[in-house]
Amino acid sequence: MKDLKHIHYFTALLEDANNELVRAAKKDGGIAVGYTCYYIPEALLNVGNAFSVRLRAPKTGSLDISQYYMGSMNCSYVRALLERAFEGGYHFLDAFFSSETCQQMNRLVENIYELKLIDNGTFYHSIIDAPLKISPHGIKHYTNQIRTHFLEPLRDQFGIDISETALRNAVAEHNRMCAIFEEISELRKADNPGITATEFHILNLVSYSCPTGLILPYLEETLVELKKRKLDPKIPYRARVVVVGSEMDDYGFTELIEYCGAYVVADRYCFGSMPGRQQIPINDDEDIVEVVCRFYLETNQCPRFMSQEKVQERRDVVKALYDEYNADGIIYEQMKFCDYWGYERAVASFVLHEEMGIPTVALDREYTVQASGQLRTRVQAFVESLEIKKIQKAKNQNEGEKK
Amino acid sequence: MTVTSNNLKDNAKLFGDIFTEAIKLELANYDHKTILMDLKKKFEPGKLTPLLTGQVSIKAAVNQYLTGNGLQDTIEDKTGIYKHREWRGPVDTLYDYVKWLELWGILGKWLLKHPVTNVSALLRYRWMAAYLTTPSFFDHNVPGFRGTMLRAGRMNLNTIAKLLTANMEDIFSADLNINPENENAKKYICIDAYMPKLITAGFSEHQGILAHLVPHYLPSIINHHLPEHYLDVTESYGVPADVCGLPSMESGVAIEDDFPKIGCCYISTNMPCDGSIMSSSILDRRFQLPTYVLNTPMRHTREDTQEYAIEELKECIKFMEKHTGETYDYNLLREACERWNEQNALRLEKWEMNATDTPPHYGASNWMYRIFTYQDACGSQVAIKNDRKVNKVMRKSLGKLRKYPQQTRHRAVVWNTVANMYSALDEWLLNCWGIEAVFEFIEHQGHRPIDTATVDSMLAGVAKVIQEATMRVHSKGGYNAYTDDLWLLVEQYDCDMIVMFDQISCKGPAAITGLLEEEARRRGIKMVWLKQDLVDARTISRRDMRDQINKYMEAVMNETPLDPTLRDFDDGESW
Ligand code: SF4
Ligand code: SF4
């Protein structure tokens, strides 16, 4: 297929957290809010002239300094962010909103703050207490935390309009972006999809890393282009996979999977589009903050939700994606030293494989994956096994028909 | 010459031989006199004496008494088995010995009360084997101790034994794995062990059981090789090796189906940390009980999270009422909270006493007791009675010349979670290097009294007790919750040193290594990092841990050991 018009621009935007669009928004007086987790309702952060940037550390190299501060047994995502903060990569941030989702992320924010790594006099940070189950009082608590730790400080410290109208506008804009992704995502269901998995990953990443208002026109244009795109006649993959797991903001991983002959039909990982790029249903009666918070809590697929029904729901969601997107297998990926995903990948891959009979592989990886030969070998082996299974299945079917 | 008396293996054999012989003679219808005479003939009296006296060779005894040294000489290399009882002078040896016999009494009483059930449990559960070594384990936790420290230590240990055996009696009497027709099973509410049992105090017909305490937490301390099997099980299930060993071990116990099957419902929790949140999904699959997840706030130090904490507690009580069919009695809870308050006040008094020049409160016998009584025996009469006695003994000793330790060089705060696989580390620090651990982090948990004035104030207090339970402070609530008190304690307890555990798989504390290091340097406090892997001695052995301290003391402090026999030894094959 022909390259998408903006794809090179998008990849350039992913070269730096403080990218061209972030700089443009800042120049316009925008307030940059950094965050890292689905618990932080992105839709509400793009209110008024505030804009959200889901933090990445592109081109990560040595992690020596962060290792000294955080030890070597913490996940390389948080270490990479700390290293980048030491290098001065996040001075553009006005605020960092976080949640005590995992210990490591929590400590990252504390380190950044205590070590004064953001050279910005008005820098504000806050860490909310986020429940790990859904209940009426839990939703109330979470909503309250979002309001008092994020929204009100945006108003009080940065003069941002957080009125109901302003917040509804922000959610509407967020929904416009999600609508685009919902349409693009549909393309992935086709046997011969009009978008490569890597392209999808790149589009998704820029939507998180750039101010929504500024990236939106590019995404709209890309959608139009995708609809008209001329497909290659040959199906470009040997197997279709759902990827599930921990934080993943390196599209090199998807490239690696494609290189091994598989097509990623659904991305159920932190920083992925499922959840994250679905429209939030709103109504005129309820308080918008409450509606949005409830939505984020209910759609959250973080393994830290520990009630039995949520644990089951996580498996059901993955199974539903597998069915709906007509996948052949599931890849569970886990950032090394991530406790949540370490357990989740073991238990869920066991259940999906042993009890539901779905071909599943569990992998661990570092923050940057492109250069990992070991990972490539494992993905390759998995893709081959899926291919063999498909051939075997077709053969059995043929024989059955003949009989 | 060495004489065996505390050598468990030899003792058991000797006891067994005598017992068998006595039964044989009795079966042959001999009268008691004849039996005794025959036994005397068969068993050399010289060999039997040490069973009663705990005596060693006079020369070795005098030497040990005078110098207090040579502690490791009393112990077999590798296995760590005592070659003979430790000589602590006539009074203390006698005291120690009486307490040791008392322990055997407690164990014997428990064993003989339900012999069939207990033997079934021993055969059913791998971890039960660890408890067989309890007497020897207790000995290892009071090495060198004399005077007040010995008394306090032994009293605490024997109280643990009493409470523990009562606990086991409850568990096995209700365990469906041992007796599938068991009607008692529904009388219990299973609780995640990282949550204090206090929340079940409002029931009179149902009792809380800490699900993990007996099957995994205590065995991991008693036998430092026991966790290895369960860790391997979890790893072969697919959980990575880098997660913390404690939740990993409990997952292994669950995967092996080695948890007693008991209870009408289960109260699970997100305490204390991420690893333990996740292991509960493995446990839930095995328990198959109606489960309530008690979600305690992560930012537990903040006021704005308390309403949620209380709401959660109320919901939890409703859930327990539903599954027990019993109404929660707040008067019973009030009584338990008041007892807890007394326990807490006595605890705080111990802290105060330790801030003096003659700190009487020391080591594993205390921190284990603290964990046990905070989590399990909170509000227990047995524990309070013991606390009163211990504090009385300690009070008396204040300001007086201490029998033990005779010599110390440093006062230290020991910070971060203790290594289960090396319970007697504080004792080694003191005996080998004269580092007196006057404040032990693991004891530093919830210590606010509960306001019992109204139901609401009481629930707020109980919610706090839960939120500040074992291991919570270093894992959640912001790093200040973990560090701020450290610097204060160093001053309050007049310490010149911090022994800082670096539990390699505990992510929260590890991620502020740099901040801690810099603050210690800024304050001019000597801080020695001590790597450990909590329950996995294969990664970092006890000997490796000692080696780290040895190197620091020799290279940085330029000191030599007080007791050279303790500097380096091999205890790799011990329990
Ligand atoms: S990958 Fe895991 S450890 Fe790392 S930030 Fe995400 S949840 Fe935390
Ligand atoms: S040591 Fe740390 S990681 Fe392990 S159970 Fe305790 S708090 Fe969790």
Side-chain angles (χ1 to χ4, degrees):
Chain A
M1 285 183 293
K2 207 176 135 200
D3 274 356
L4 293 172
K5 181 179 165 199
H6 296 301
I7 201 75
H8 297 295
Y9 179 58
F10 290 153
T11 51
L13 288 174
L14 294 177
E15 295 281 288
D16 189 359
N18 187 14
N19 60 44
E20 192 185 308
L21 293 184
V22 169
R23 290 196 298 272
K26 286 281 288 182
K27 215 170 153 199
D28 259 10
I31 299 297
V33 178
Y35 77 108
T36 56
C37 173
Y38 190 72
Y39 266 103
I40 313 302
E42 181 197 16
L44 296 176
L45 306 185
N46 290 281
V47 58
N49 60 335
F51 67 92
S52 66
V53 181
R54 195 155 173 170
L55 292 180
R56 299 169 59 247
K59 295 186 277 189
T60 286
S62 131
L63 296 177
D64 288 350
I65 302 176
S66 57
Q67 196 145 309
Y68 166 75
Y69 282 94
M70 300 192 82
S72 54
M73 298 277 276
N74 275 302
C75 97
S76 46
Y77 175 45
V78 299
R79 281 189 282 140
L81 292 183
L82 186 66
E83 195 78 23
R84 184 55 42 89
F86 265 108
E87 292 161 5
Y90 303 126
H91 287 323
F92 70 93
L93 287 180
D94 295 290
F96 192 162
F97 290 169
S98 185
S99 122
E100 187 151 351
T101 311
C102 74
Q103 294 172 85
Q104 320 191 27
M105 186 51 68
N106 176 50
R107 293 287 190 246
L108 163 80
V109 186
E110 292 178 335
N111 270 295
I112 287 185
Y113 183 73
E114 292 297 331
L115 295 163
K116 301 187 175 43
L117 299 182
I118 310 279
D119 186 13
N120 178 343
T122 55
F123 176 68
Y124 168 86
H125 88 294
S126 192
I127 302 170
I128 58 156
D129 182 69
L132 30 74
K133 70 175 195 188
I134 296 166
S135 62
H137 57 276
I139 294 172
K140 185 178 157 209
H141 175 58
Y142 175 60
T143 310
N144 204 26
Q145 292 280 305
I146 300 293
R147 223 190 277 279
T148 55
H149 289 272
F150 298 161
L151 296 178
E152 288 168 9
L154 278 181
R155 179 194 62 202
D156 300 341
Q157 190 151 335
F158 301 104
I160 288 175
D161 175 13
I162 58 158
S163 63
E164 181 80 8
T165 317
L167 287 165
R168 280 181 181 270
N169 287 341
V171 178
E173 187 180 68
H174 175 83
N175 277 350
R176 275 213 308 283
M177 178 172 67
C178 292
I180 296 173
F181 275 95
E182 282 171 354
E183 278 200 60
I184 301 179
S185 211
E186 280 297 304
L187 300 175
R188 301 195 287 180
K189 288 182 180 168
D191 276 348
N192 191 0
I195 183 165
T196 70
T198 307
E199 283 167 349
F200 185 89
H201 199 167
I202 292 170
L203 294 185
N204 190 39
L205 286 175
V206 286
S207 74
Y208 279 115
S209 323
C210 302
T212 311
L214 297 185
I215 196 70
L216 206 48
Y218 291 98
L219 294 173
E220 278 161 350
E221 204 184 329
T222 305
L223 175 64
V224 175
E225 190 187 350
L226 281 169
K227 283 181 180 166
K228 290 195 227 142
R229 202 175 197 189
K230 203 162 163 260
L231 304 181
D232 287 343
K234 191 172 168 278
I235 292 180
Y237 58 83
R238 292 185 284 154
R240 297 165 67 86
V241 293
V242 175
V243 178
V244 186
S246 52
E247 204 279 343
M248 166 63 68
D249 69 47
D250 180 1
Y251 64 85
F253 183 64
T254 308
E255 251 172 359
L256 182 148
I257 294 175
E258 287 203 302
Y259 174 85
C260 297
Y263 183 72
V264 179
V265 292
D267 46 348
R268 185 17 332 265
Y269 45 76
C270 311
F271 234 122
S273 71
M274 298 167 160
R277 289 293 170 255
Q278 289 72 37
Q279 297 182 68
I280 303 170
I282 50 171
N283 59 57
D284 293 337
D285 312 324
E286 278 181 289
D287 174 71
I288 188 73
V289 179
E290 215 174 299
V291 172
V292 172
C293 288
R294 191 174 55 231
F295 176 84
Y296 272 92
L297 211 52
E298 283 175 354
T299 53
N300 199 319
Q301 292 295 305
C302 178
R304 84 196 271 277
F305 279 85
M306 57 188 292
S307 57
Q308 282 160 333
E309 67 282 358
K310 266 302 235 189
V311 172
Q312 187 53 44
E313 182 194 294
R314 286 204 294 277
R315 271 143 231 177
D316 294 344
V317 163
V318 174
K319 167 85 169 60
L321 290 175
Y322 170 83
D323 291 337
E324 198 185 327
Y325 284 79
N326 195 19
D328 303 305
I330 299 170
I331 296 178
Y332 264 91
E333 55 84 11
Q334 172 232 339
M335 184 88 70
K336 266 191 191 130
F337 307 121
C338 172
D339 288 339
Y340 289 148
W341 283 100
Y343 276 93
E344 179 71 0
R345 80 150 212 226
V347 183
S349 63
F350 176 85
V351 172
L352 287 159
H353 191 260
E354 303 295 321
E355 294 174 15
M356 297 188 184
I358 300 174
T360 306
V361 68
L363 311 168
D364 63 2
R365 61 172 184 88
E366 292 291 0
Y367 176 55
T368 40
V369 293
Q370 231 159 359
S372 170
Q374 201 196 12
L375 203 60
R376 189 177 302 241
T377 313
R378 296 212 51 201
V379 175
Q380 240 154 11
F382 182 59
V383 173
E384 267 156 37
S385 76
L386 292 179
E387 202 177 17
I388 293 168
K389 276 195 189 99
K390 266 167 62 170
I391 296 170
Q392 200 71 42
K393 204 172 149 194
K395 207 172 136 198
N396 290 347
Q397 254 171 7
N398 281 344
E399 278 169 12
E401 276 162 21
K402 272 184 207 159
K403 275 178 198 164
Chain B
M1 177 200 90
T2 54
V3 188
T4 53
S5 86
N6 193 28
N7 178 331
L8 187 74
K9 204 168 60 189
D10 292 352
N11 268 357
K13 192 172 174 314
L14 196 55
F15 271 125
D17 289 350
I18 297 170
F19 204 63
T20 330
E21 192 59 28
I23 289 174
K24 268 194 223 158
L25 294 169
E26 192 152 357
L27 287 176
N29 282 333
Y30 289 142
D31 62 26
H32 281 125
K33 234 183 186 169
T34 329
I35 293 175
L36 270 179
M37 267 169 43
D38 269 39
L39 283 177
K40 270 187 191 161
K41 259 190 244 158
K42 198 163 169 91
F43 297 96
E44 215 185 296
K47 260 192 164 183
L48 294 177
T49 321
L51 278 173
L52 305 171
T53 61
Q55 187 54 277
V56 296
S57 80
I58 302 297
K59 200 173 149 219
V62 170
N63 182 36
Q64 198 184 62
Y65 180 59
L66 291 177
T67 62
N69 285 350
L71 274 178
Q72 191 54 27
D73 288 343
T74 59
I75 291 173
E76 263 181 23
D77 213 29
K78 291 191 171 41
T79 62
I81 290 174
Y82 273 94
K83 295 174 192 165
H84 55 77
R85 290 204 72 74
E86 188 189 318
W87 175 255
R88 306 168 197 256
V91 180
D92 288 327
T93 304
L94 183 67
Y95 179 84
D96 187 54
Y97 194 66
V98 168
K99 282 287 171 189
W100 184 71
L101 289 178
E102 182 185 294
L103 172 65
W104 275 106
I106 297 167
L107 299 177
K109 200 172 132 198
W110 164 74
L111 189 74
L112 295 175
K113 210 166 161 189
H114 305 287
V116 179
T117 309
N118 292 331
V119 172
S120 308
L122 192 62
L123 298 174
R124 173 65 179 77
Y125 301 117
R126 173 183 289 267
W127 43 261
M128 264 301 277
Y131 289 105
L132 294 179
T133 63
T134 305
S136 169
F137 169 70
F138 280 6
D139 283 341
H140 278 86
N141 284 296
V142 286
F145 279 31
R146 295 166 197 204
T148 310
M149 278 194 193
L150 176 69
R151 275 152 190 76
R154 279 292 186 190
M155 279 194 254
N156 284 345
L157 291 172
N158 283 3
T159 306
I160 293 179
K162 264 186 225 156
L163 292 164
L164 178 65
T165 48
N167 225 309
M168 285 185 171
E169 204 178 315
D170 287 338
I171 293 176
F172 299 142
S173 72
D175 185 0
L176 295 167
N177 281 337
I178 292 177
N179 175 9
E181 304 298 316
N182 214 317
E183 288 193 351
N184 283 343
K186 297 264 179 253
K187 284 190 192 157
Y188 295 94
I189 302 163
C190 264
I191 313 173
D192 189 314
Y194 303 108
M195 193 162 48
K197 208 163 89 177
L198 196 59
I199 54 165
T200 54
F203 293 109
S204 59
E205 284 159 28
H206 292 81
Q207 200 185 312
I209 285 281
L210 297 185
H212 317 54
L213 190 74
V214 171
H216 113 265
Y217 191 80
L218 291 174
S220 76
I221 300 178
I222 298 175
N223 179 345
H224 83 302
H225 288 303
L226 182 96
E228 290 160 12
H229 170 79
Y230 291 117
L231 293 172
D232 291 345
V233 168
T234 310
E235 257 180 67
S236 22
Y237 190 73
V239 175
D242 56 62
V243 301
C244 171
L246 208 54
S248 177
M249 180 187 170
E250 75 188 35
S251 304
V253 176
I255 296 166
E256 285 262 283
D257 203 12
D258 260 2
F259 272 106
K261 227 175 167 171
I262 178 176
C264 57
C265 58
Y266 178 50
I267 311 298
S268 169
T269 179
N270 57 326
M271 306 267 296
C273 61
D274 302 349
S276 108
I277 287 175
M278 292 313 294
S279 64
S280 45
S281 61
I282 296 184
L283 264 62
D284 276 1
R285 276 170 67 78
R286 306 284 152 165
F287 286 178
Q288 304 271 338
L289 286 171
T291 302
Y292 183 85
V293 176
L294 188 101
N295 183 177
T296 57
M298 301 290 183
R299 312 296 294 176
H300 55 86
T301 53
R302 281 203 320 232
E303 265 319 300
D304 69 352
T305 60
Q306 293 313 298
E307 188 187 328
Y308 179 62
I310 297 166
E311 237 4 91
E312 270 293 288
L313 192 53
K314 285 182 180 164
E315 288 297 316
C316 180
I317 290 172
K318 274 191 218 156
F319 172 86
M320 290 190 288
E321 283 183 325
K322 182 176 158 206
H323 290 278
T324 55
E326 191 185 341
T327 309
Y328 198 78
D329 182 344
Y330 285 93
N331 287 325
L332 286 180
L333 178 68
R334 177 169 294 110
E335 284 165 22
C337 289
E338 273 157 11
R339 288 195 297 273
W340 189 90
N341 281 345
E342 185 182 349
Q343 269 177 301
N344 188 47
L346 290 163
R347 167 69 34 182
L348 295 178
E349 190 192 358
K350 285 190 184 101
W351 288 13
E352 267 172 39
M353 291 194 264
N354 256 32
T356 65
D357 290 342
T358 51
H361 174 62
Y362 200 80
S365 48
N366 286 302
W367 66 252
M368 286 191 295
Y369 181 79
R370 168 62 168 167
I371 292 179
F372 199 87
T373 51
Y374 191 91
Q375 301 298 132
D376 187 81
C378 31
S380 142
Q381 290 288 14
V382 178
I384 294 180
K385 217 169 127 194
N386 178 62
D387 288 336
R388 288 187 196 130
K389 268 205 261 174
V390 168
N391 278 34
K392 197 169 158 194
V393 172
M394 285 180 173
R395 254 175 248 135
K396 267 195 196 162
S397 75
L398 284 186
K400 296 197 183 125
L401 192 68
R402 290 192 295 180
K403 259 191 177 174
Y404 173 86
Q406 284 183 340
Q407 199 188 349
T408 60
R409 290 173 178 161
H410 306 280
R411 284 167 73 98
V413 172
V414 177
W415 210 242
N416 201 350
T417 195
V418 284
N420 291 29
M421 38 70 70
Y422 198 177
S423 62
L425 177 85
D426 290 355
E427 287 69 16
W428 177 81
L429 288 172
L430 182 58
N431 291 325
C432 182
W433 289 104
I435 301 170
E436 189 167 11
V438 289
F439 203 95
E440 174 60 71
F441 168 78
I442 204 78
E443 285 200 58
H444 182 252
Q445 301 141 25
H447 44 79
R448 286 164 230 256
I450 299 170
D451 177 0
T452 55
T454 65
V455 168
D456 281 346
S457 68
M458 199 157 58
L459 288 179
V462 175
K464 263 286 177 213
V465 169
I466 297 174
Q467 289 169 79
E468 293 176 347
T470 307
M471 292 197 289
R472 204 65 200 311
V473 168
H474 66 278
S475 56
K476 297 289 172 196
Y479 93 99
N480 305 75
Y482 171 56
T483 58
D484 282 2
D485 282 351
L486 168 64
W487 315 116
L488 270 178
L489 289 166
V490 168
E491 278 173 31
Q492 275 171 11
Y493 285 78
D494 194 21
C495 294
D496 61 338
M497 197 175 192
I498 297 171
V499 178
M500 180 63 81
F501 279 119
D502 174 6
Q503 204 280 74
I504 58 169
S505 49
C506 188
K507 313 314 201 259
I512 48 161
T513 306
L515 288 177
L516 276 170
E517 179 89 40
E518 283 173 2
E519 188 61 22
R521 212 175 300 141
R522 199 181 64 76
R523 290 172 182 258
I525 301 169
K526 292 188 187 72
M527 183 160 79
V528 48
W529 288 93
L530 182 50
K531 276 198 188 306
Q532 50 115 334
D533 197 7
L534 200 65
V535 294
D536 196 349
R538 293 169 301 185
T539 338
I540 298 164
S541 68
R542 291 173 176 175
R543 195 178 198 174
D544 295 336
M545 288 172 71
R546 289 190 292 270
D547 189 47
Q548 295 173 60
I549 298 283
N550 290 341
K551 284 194 176 124
Y552 183 86
M553 295 308 288
E554 284 162 356
V556 180
M557 306 296 277
N558 207 11
E559 290 177 16
T560 50
L562 288 178
D563 181 346
T565 66
L566 289 172
R567 188 191 171 279
D568 181 42
F569 55 91
D570 182 1
D571 53 354
E573 290 169 20
S574 71
W575 294 308

